[in-house]
Amino acid sequence: MPYDDSGWRNFGTFGANRSPENVRGGAALGRALEDALSRMIIEGGIKSPVTSPRGLKARLKYLNSDAGIQALREVGITARPRTVKNWFAGTQKPSNANLELIDTAYWNLRTRRILANLGAFKQHLNNRGR
């Protein structure tokens, strides 16, 4: 496609002007990056609900580490270590209240890990969000 230099002359037609409602470049970039991070966290996460066997198993697999157990504690799971071990082994199912807390712990840990590894975010952006 040939370069068309007349587009910049009509930039105001796209809403660019000096009005206070317009978002400055830095703020717009910040919002775009926040949106991209949010999409990466949510769209790359587990799709099955925590109430399904597949969703629960996937979340528990993700949380089966020292960081995962800490995330479970942080959201308020007070189950005994043996009970949590049985959850991980699949021999005991958590209560409905604990299912919600497991889901919260999963999303909190996933978010923390993605934000701690911005190199992966850069790679995600360089790959057009895939």
Side-chain angles (χ1 to χ4, degrees):
M1 182 166 121
Y3 177 71
D4 180 13
D5 67 346
S6 64
W8 68 270
R9 293 183 198 137
N10 300 321
F11 196 61
T13 60
F14 300 107
N17 56 40
R18 292 180 183 251
S19 69
E21 297 87 30
N22 270 337
V23 179
R24 291 275 191 203
L29 177 61
R31 286 184 193 161
L33 288 173
E34 286 175 3
D35 290 346
L37 265 171
S38 180
R39 278 193 313 277
M40 182 179 178
I41 291 167
I42 294 168
E43 291 174 7
I46 298 168
K47 304 287 187 267
S48 303
V50 71
T51 53
S52 73
R54 180 180 176 158
L56 175 60
K57 184 177 179 179
R59 282 167 179 78
L60 289 174
K61 182 177 179 180
Y62 190 85
L63 292 167
N64 194 2
S65 65
D66 290 340
I69 291 170
Q70 179 62 32
L72 289 170
R73 283 190 201 116
E74 288 171 1
V75 296
I77 288 188
T78 57
R80 294 183 174 159
R82 181 74 181 160
T83 302
V84 174
K85 186 176 179 182
N86 288 338
W87 294 346
F88 289 137
T91 58
Q92 186 175 346
K93 187 177 184 243
S95 68
N96 288 338
N98 282 333
L99 285 175
E100 291 301 317
L101 293 174
I102 288 168
D103 190 48
T104 301
Y106 164 74
W107 288 108
N108 289 350
L109 183 59
R110 178 166 172 73
T111 300
R112 199 174 321 140
R113 285 180 172 168
I114 287 175
L115 293 177
N117 185 3
L118 292 179
F121 178 59
K122 180 180 173 186
Q123 199 171 27
H124 175 76
L125 291 176
N126 287 337
N127 196 24
R128 297 183 182 184
R130 290 185 223 124

